[in-house]
Amino acid sequence: MENSVGLVQTKFCKFDDEILLESGKTLKNIQIAYETYGTLNEAGDNAILVCHALTADAHAAGYNSPEDKKPGWWDTMIGPDKAFDTNKFFIISSNILGGCKGTTGPSSINPDTGKPYGHAFPVITIEDIVKVQKKLIDFLGVKKMVVVGGSMGGMQAMEWSIKHPDYVKTTIIIASTARLSAQAIAFNAVGRNAIISDKFFNNGDYYDNENSPDYGLAIARMVGHITYLCEEAMHTKFGRDFKDKPNFDFGVDFQVESYLEYQGRIFVDRFDANSYLYITKAIDYYDPISKFGSLENAFKQSNSRFLIICFNSDWLFTTEQSKEMVTALIGAGKEVSFIELESPCGHDAFLIEYKEQTKIIKSFLKKDEPANNTAQKPVPSNTTQFIKNRGI
Amino acid sequence: MENSVGLVQTKFCKFDDEILLESGKTLKNIQIAYETYGTLNEAGDNAILVCHALTADAHAAGYNSPEDKKPGWWDTMIGPDKAFDTNKFFIISSNILGGCKGTTGPSSINPDTGKPYGHAFPVITIEDIVKVQKKLIDFLGVKKMVVVGGSMGGMQAMEWSIKHPDYVKTTIIIASTARLSAQAIAFNAVGRNAIISDKFFNNGDYYDNENSPDYGLAIARMVGHITYLCEEAMHTKFGRDFKDKPNFDFGVDFQVESYLEYQGRIFVDRFDANSYLYITKAIDYYDPISKFGSLENAFKQSNSRFLIICFNSDWLFTTEQSKEMVTALIGAGKEVSFIELESPCGHDAFLIEYKEQTKIIKSFLKKDEPANNTAQKPVPSNTTQFIKNRGI
């Protein structure tokens, strides 16, 4: 556990007031699952908000129990002396609205019915996700912060910089895009179709049933994994190797099939099919270019400086899409650093290639380091806060 | 109907003898659906065998009835003065083994049970498909021929050139590959998983049931269509346009979703889910590199000259994969011409970009033109031959 934040607990807070969503619908009694690492200073300006991608959770670093075999999903990047240095910064990671890891989502209890929302959960957007995160940020007493995110997390970071210019001083967008390509929407649509046509989907109201739409969710995940790896990475990892020898049947034959089947199978144990629907829809919808007329106009709303990182083998969110952001930021007169890192890992690289990212991000964040480390600001007491073990 | 072959009928022939498949299993009473255009000369050496891709059929050119709104699937390329010139050549197009368009496949009647094969149909390979085509070629009295195919049809053409060097004098391989990449296998595996987990799949024995695994087949087709178009083509065709406006639900929202949904929906009306399973498996398995130790060794079996055509925007079967064939052909001392055509149409280009292909193929086939056109050789009478309307 060298340079680890060690044992951490996922915390939960609840907000009773109603929030108005982009769709015009509302949600109330929202719960947010979050973890924090490091100490918030008196000024409340040494915070870093880490925004997660499609299927991750609040547990970004350290271990929730001594028995945990794996640390949080971005443990390589968060900790003492790491890219996001807990000796200097107060790092916040929260599960997104619509998720299934402790923050209100379609599997949560609908306060109006006492049963899980299911298909009654309203469609949400990246804007809604950020709106809910803002409640947590205010609750924690943060005044100024860095926002960082990879993939869909990058969309949240972008939205933060546009929507809350007074809060966000620095934005780091990794392996992301200002909006999905038609092809990326198409992949998401295939995944959603697989879930919706699963025999156990039951129009999204499956929580009280014996079976969930696991087949559909597994297929959606398989499609996802094809897009997360690049063709070369698949070739290197699996080639055309058989798991054993040709079966002459329709079971798992090639190694790559075995990999996808495994990824699909383990995914259904940790993720909710409805959350997959809602979150991919939020990703598809995000489009500040359309909203503001141009990406340049969108970024003009911001007071942040930016670091854009992409990976040469990422074909889901391409270098070209990162360059589109860079061009718009320059056009908007913003301070922007940009680098395309070499990696064979495709879109997954943002989770894997921590060494190069660490070097760049550590240097970039020098300007955001607090002058001196001061005591933690007390958590305000006007909101419910409680602590649970992870997985509840 | 300018330069059309006009009205044509799909013909059928049956072979009573048993054929041994690559799997070690056997099939008997095989029926082949085919069409021919033009006239076979006395020497039997002016034939062109057209091999179709995953979901096509024997009806490659002309019209099966005066009411047909559309001609055969490669009508732009087959006809008087066209790339495959029916004034000079005798062109044969047959539905492949495992298909569902008149040639024996999983939806055919199993002679041992009197019921459709369903999951009792044996897994087949490209080699098996060619073995069955060879019966038709012999039946028609063809002695020497050109073989051409796009996509999976290119694999059949390659196999013909390797397996039957005495028959194949010229091979044209378009938008194809010697073997699938891991990524392409992965896409096929996703499609198969969608079919197999469909609630109506019933282990492949669904022909006597009210419902077929249409949801799964539609999803498989959607995945396919993403790979047939390139990202740029999708961007140009659909961009991020909404069909109407954001629905804030999980119905069809974006134009690209509408397109995929439509492609999936119309596909299930014309194709059998089991055939999709069997044919994609045959494609996945094809690997002359593994079989012969190298692609060069594989091509050394051939006595053919070759034309390799690929398209710059094809990301399913890439230019790199075509170049691999060219390099191996040169290494094997074969005559080979190669061109990468510019097209925005992705893998689908081989069906669309007929003008450039026509110019190249017409010139290339000059050497294969018969000295003079002679009368049609009579069809031998020792095999059942009958004619049906298409669609039966």
Side-chain angles (χ1 to χ4, degrees), chain B residues 216-245:
Chain B
L217 181 59
I219 288 165
R221 185 61 167 175
M222 291 167 78
V223 175
H225 269 280
I226 299 177
T227 66
Y228 306 152
L229 286 177
C230 64
E231 196 266 321
E232 293 77 5
M234 278 205 159
H235 176 72
T236 308
K237 272 172 101 108
F238 314 112
R240 293 183 45 89
D241 294 347
F242 284 94
K243 191 149 181 282
D244 181 19
K245 56 180 171 44

Short mmCIF file of all heavy atoms in Angstrom, two decimals, chain B residues 216-245:
data_model
loop_
_atom_site.label_atom_id
_atom_site.label_comp_id
_atom_site.label_asym_id
_atom_site.label_seq_id
_atom_site.Cartn_x
_atom_site.Cartn_y
_atom_site.Cartn_z
N GLY B 216 -32.61 -10.36 -31.32
CA GLY B 216 -31.18 -10.65 -31.34
C GLY B 216 -30.59 -10.45 -32.73
O GLY B 216 -29.51 -9.87 -32.88
N LEU B 217 -31.32 -10.92 -33.73
CA LEU B 217 -30.83 -10.78 -35.11
C LEU B 217 -30.74 -9.30 -35.50
O LEU B 217 -29.78 -8.88 -36.15
CB LEU B 217 -31.75 -11.55 -36.07
CG LEU B 217 -31.34 -11.52 -37.55
CD1 LEU B 217 -29.94 -12.10 -37.75
CD2 LEU B 217 -32.35 -12.30 -38.40
N ALA B 218 -31.72 -8.53 -35.08
CA ALA B 218 -31.70 -7.09 -35.39
C ALA B 218 -30.49 -6.42 -34.73
O ALA B 218 -29.83 -5.57 -35.35
CB ALA B 218 -32.99 -6.43 -34.92
N ILE B 219 -30.19 -6.81 -33.50
CA ILE B 219 -29.03 -6.22 -32.82
C ILE B 219 -27.74 -6.63 -33.53
O ILE B 219 -26.84 -5.80 -33.74
CB ILE B 219 -29.02 -6.63 -31.33
CG1 ILE B 219 -30.14 -5.86 -30.61
CG2 ILE B 219 -27.68 -6.34 -30.68
CD1 ILE B 219 -30.48 -6.40 -29.24
N ALA B 220 -27.66 -7.88 -33.93
CA ALA B 220 -26.49 -8.34 -34.69
C ALA B 220 -26.32 -7.50 -35.96
O ALA B 220 -25.22 -7.09 -36.32
CB ALA B 220 -26.63 -9.82 -35.04
N ARG B 221 -27.43 -7.24 -36.62
CA ARG B 221 -27.37 -6.46 -37.85
C ARG B 221 -26.95 -5.01 -37.58
O ARG B 221 -26.22 -4.41 -38.37
CB ARG B 221 -28.74 -6.49 -38.55
CG ARG B 221 -28.79 -5.81 -39.90
CD ARG B 221 -27.85 -6.45 -40.90
NE ARG B 221 -28.11 -6.01 -42.27
CZ ARG B 221 -27.36 -6.35 -43.31
NH1 ARG B 221 -26.32 -7.15 -43.15
NH2 ARG B 221 -27.64 -5.92 -44.52
N MET B 222 -27.43 -4.46 -36.48
CA MET B 222 -27.04 -3.10 -36.11
C MET B 222 -25.53 -3.02 -35.90
O MET B 222 -24.87 -2.10 -36.39
CB MET B 222 -27.76 -2.67 -34.82
CG MET B 222 -29.26 -2.46 -35.01
SD MET B 222 -30.17 -2.32 -33.42
CE MET B 222 -29.79 -0.63 -32.97
N VAL B 223 -24.99 -3.98 -35.18
CA VAL B 223 -23.53 -4.02 -34.97
C VAL B 223 -22.84 -4.10 -36.32
O VAL B 223 -21.89 -3.36 -36.59
CB VAL B 223 -23.12 -5.23 -34.10
CG1 VAL B 223 -21.60 -5.33 -34.01
CG2 VAL B 223 -23.72 -5.14 -32.71
N GLY B 224 -23.35 -4.98 -37.18
CA GLY B 224 -22.78 -5.12 -38.52
C GLY B 224 -22.75 -3.79 -39.26
O GLY B 224 -21.72 -3.38 -39.79
N HIS B 225 -23.86 -3.10 -39.24
CA HIS B 225 -23.94 -1.85 -40.00
C HIS B 225 -22.97 -0.79 -39.49
O HIS B 225 -22.51 0.04 -40.26
CB HIS B 225 -25.37 -1.32 -40.03
CG HIS B 225 -26.12 -1.83 -41.22
ND1 HIS B 225 -25.98 -1.28 -42.48
CD2 HIS B 225 -26.97 -2.87 -41.37
CE1 HIS B 225 -26.74 -1.95 -43.33
NE2 HIS B 225 -27.34 -2.92 -42.69
N ILE B 226 -22.69 -0.80 -38.20
CA ILE B 226 -21.69 0.15 -37.69
C ILE B 226 -20.34 -0.15 -38.34
O ILE B 226 -19.59 0.76 -38.70
CB ILE B 226 -21.58 0.09 -36.16
CG1 ILE B 226 -22.92 0.47 -35.51
CG2 ILE B 226 -20.48 1.02 -35.66
CD1 ILE B 226 -22.93 0.37 -33.99
N THR B 227 -20.05 -1.43 -38.54
CA THR B 227 -18.75 -1.79 -39.12
C THR B 227 -18.72 -1.62 -40.64
O THR B 227 -17.65 -1.53 -41.22
CB THR B 227 -18.34 -3.24 -38.77
OG1 THR B 227 -19.23 -4.15 -39.41
CG2 THR B 227 -18.38 -3.48 -37.28
N TYR B 228 -19.89 -1.61 -41.27
CA TYR B 228 -19.91 -1.47 -42.74
C TYR B 228 -19.72 -0.01 -43.16
O TYR B 228 -19.18 0.26 -44.23
CB TYR B 228 -21.22 -2.00 -43.33
CG TYR B 228 -21.55 -3.42 -42.95
CD1 TYR B 228 -22.87 -3.86 -42.88
CD2 TYR B 228 -20.54 -4.33 -42.63
CE1 TYR B 228 -23.17 -5.17 -42.50
CE2 TYR B 228 -20.84 -5.62 -42.25
CZ TYR B 228 -22.15 -6.05 -42.19
OH TYR B 228 -22.45 -7.32 -41.81
N LEU B 229 -20.22 0.89 -42.33
CA LEU B 229 -19.99 2.31 -42.59
C LEU B 229 -18.76 2.74 -41.81
O LEU B 229 -18.50 2.22 -40.74
CB LEU B 229 -21.17 3.14 -42.09
CG LEU B 229 -22.45 3.11 -42.90
CD1 LEU B 229 -23.52 3.93 -42.20
CD2 LEU B 229 -22.22 3.67 -44.29
N CYS B 230 -18.04 3.73 -42.30
CA CYS B 230 -16.95 4.26 -41.50
C CYS B 230 -17.47 5.44 -40.69
O CYS B 230 -18.56 5.94 -40.92
CB CYS B 230 -15.77 4.65 -42.37
SG CYS B 230 -16.14 5.99 -43.48
N GLU B 231 -16.67 5.86 -39.72
CA GLU B 231 -17.07 6.93 -38.82
C GLU B 231 -17.42 8.21 -39.62
O GLU B 231 -18.42 8.87 -39.35
CB GLU B 231 -15.93 7.20 -37.83
CG GLU B 231 -16.32 7.99 -36.61
CD GLU B 231 -16.07 9.45 -36.77
OE1 GLU B 231 -15.03 9.81 -37.36
OE2 GLU B 231 -16.91 10.25 -36.32
N GLU B 232 -16.60 8.51 -40.63
CA GLU B 232 -16.83 9.73 -41.42
C GLU B 232 -18.15 9.63 -42.18
O GLU B 232 -18.89 10.60 -42.28
CB GLU B 232 -15.68 9.96 -42.43
CG GLU B 232 -14.34 10.30 -41.81
CD GLU B 232 -13.61 9.09 -41.23
OE1 GLU B 232 -14.09 7.94 -41.39
OE2 GLU B 232 -12.57 9.29 -40.59
N ALA B 233 -18.42 8.44 -42.72
CA ALA B 233 -19.67 8.27 -43.47
C ALA B 233 -20.87 8.44 -42.54
O ALA B 233 -21.86 9.08 -42.90
CB ALA B 233 -19.70 6.88 -44.12
N MET B 234 -20.75 7.90 -41.34
CA MET B 234 -21.83 8.07 -40.36
C MET B 234 -22.01 9.54 -40.00
O MET B 234 -23.12 10.03 -39.86
CB MET B 234 -21.50 7.29 -39.08
CG MET B 234 -21.84 5.83 -39.19
SD MET B 234 -22.13 5.14 -37.53
CE MET B 234 -23.09 3.71 -37.98
N HIS B 235 -20.89 10.22 -39.86
CA HIS B 235 -20.93 11.64 -39.54
C HIS B 235 -21.62 12.41 -40.66
O HIS B 235 -22.49 13.26 -40.42
CB HIS B 235 -19.52 12.16 -39.31
CG HIS B 235 -19.46 13.64 -39.06
ND1 HIS B 235 -19.92 14.20 -37.89
CD2 HIS B 235 -19.05 14.67 -39.84
CE1 HIS B 235 -19.78 15.52 -37.96
NE2 HIS B 235 -19.25 15.82 -39.12
N THR B 236 -21.24 12.10 -41.90
CA THR B 236 -21.82 12.81 -43.04
C THR B 236 -23.32 12.49 -43.19
O THR B 236 -24.12 13.39 -43.44
CB THR B 236 -21.09 12.40 -44.34
OG1 THR B 236 -19.69 12.57 -44.11
CG2 THR B 236 -21.53 13.24 -45.51
N LYS B 237 -23.65 11.22 -43.03
CA LYS B 237 -25.05 10.81 -43.23
C LYS B 237 -25.96 11.32 -42.11
O LYS B 237 -27.08 11.74 -42.37
CB LYS B 237 -25.14 9.27 -43.22
CG LYS B 237 -24.95 8.61 -44.58
CD LYS B 237 -24.88 7.10 -44.41
CE LYS B 237 -26.19 6.44 -44.77
NZ LYS B 237 -26.17 5.68 -46.02
N PHE B 238 -25.49 11.21 -40.87
CA PHE B 238 -26.38 11.46 -39.73
C PHE B 238 -25.92 12.55 -38.79
O PHE B 238 -26.75 13.22 -38.17
CB PHE B 238 -26.54 10.18 -38.90
CG PHE B 238 -26.80 8.97 -39.73
CD1 PHE B 238 -25.85 7.96 -39.84
CD2 PHE B 238 -27.99 8.84 -40.42
CE1 PHE B 238 -26.09 6.84 -40.61
CE2 PHE B 238 -28.24 7.73 -41.20
CZ PHE B 238 -27.28 6.72 -41.29
N GLY B 239 -24.61 12.74 -38.66
CA GLY B 239 -24.08 13.67 -37.67
C GLY B 239 -24.71 13.39 -36.32
O GLY B 239 -24.86 12.23 -35.93
N ARG B 240 -25.08 14.44 -35.62
CA ARG B 240 -25.78 14.29 -34.33
C ARG B 240 -27.23 14.74 -34.46
O ARG B 240 -27.87 15.13 -33.46
CB ARG B 240 -25.07 15.10 -33.25
CG ARG B 240 -23.69 14.57 -32.90
CD ARG B 240 -23.08 15.39 -31.76
NE ARG B 240 -24.03 15.61 -30.70
CZ ARG B 240 -24.23 14.80 -29.67
NH1 ARG B 240 -23.52 13.71 -29.54
NH2 ARG B 240 -25.12 15.08 -28.74
N ASP B 241 -27.75 14.69 -35.68
CA ASP B 241 -29.12 15.16 -35.89
C ASP B 241 -30.12 14.29 -35.13
O ASP B 241 -30.00 13.07 -35.11
CB ASP B 241 -29.49 15.10 -37.39
CG ASP B 241 -28.65 16.08 -38.20
OD1 ASP B 241 -28.01 16.96 -37.58
OD2 ASP B 241 -28.63 15.97 -39.44
N PHE B 242 -31.09 14.94 -34.58
CA PHE B 242 -32.20 14.22 -33.97
C PHE B 242 -33.22 13.87 -35.04
O PHE B 242 -33.35 14.59 -36.03
CB PHE B 242 -32.87 15.05 -32.87
CG PHE B 242 -32.08 15.09 -31.60
CD1 PHE B 242 -31.20 16.14 -31.34
CD2 PHE B 242 -32.21 14.08 -30.66
CE1 PHE B 242 -30.46 16.17 -30.17
CE2 PHE B 242 -31.49 14.11 -29.49
CZ PHE B 242 -30.59 15.16 -29.24
N LYS B 243 -33.94 12.78 -34.83
CA LYS B 243 -35.02 12.45 -35.74
C LYS B 243 -36.05 13.56 -35.66
O LYS B 243 -36.55 14.04 -36.66
CB LYS B 243 -35.63 11.10 -35.35
CG LYS B 243 -36.56 10.51 -36.34
CD LYS B 243 -36.51 9.00 -36.30
CE LYS B 243 -37.45 8.41 -37.34
NZ LYS B 243 -38.87 8.44 -36.90
N ASP B 244 -36.34 13.98 -34.47
CA ASP B 244 -37.27 15.09 -34.27
C ASP B 244 -36.61 16.04 -33.28
O ASP B 244 -35.89 16.95 -33.67
CB ASP B 244 -38.60 14.52 -33.77
CG ASP B 244 -39.63 15.60 -33.56
OD1 ASP B 244 -39.46 16.69 -34.13
OD2 ASP B 244 -40.61 15.35 -32.82
N LYS B 245 -36.80 15.81 -32.01
CA LYS B 245 -36.09 16.55 -30.96
C LYS B 245 -35.80 15.56 -29.83
O LYS B 245 -36.34 14.45 -29.84
CB LYS B 245 -36.92 17.74 -30.48
CG LYS B 245 -38.31 17.37 -29.98
CD LYS B 245 -39.03 18.64 -29.54
CE LYS B 245 -40.49 18.46 -29.21
NZ LYS B 245 -40.94 17.35 -28.43
#
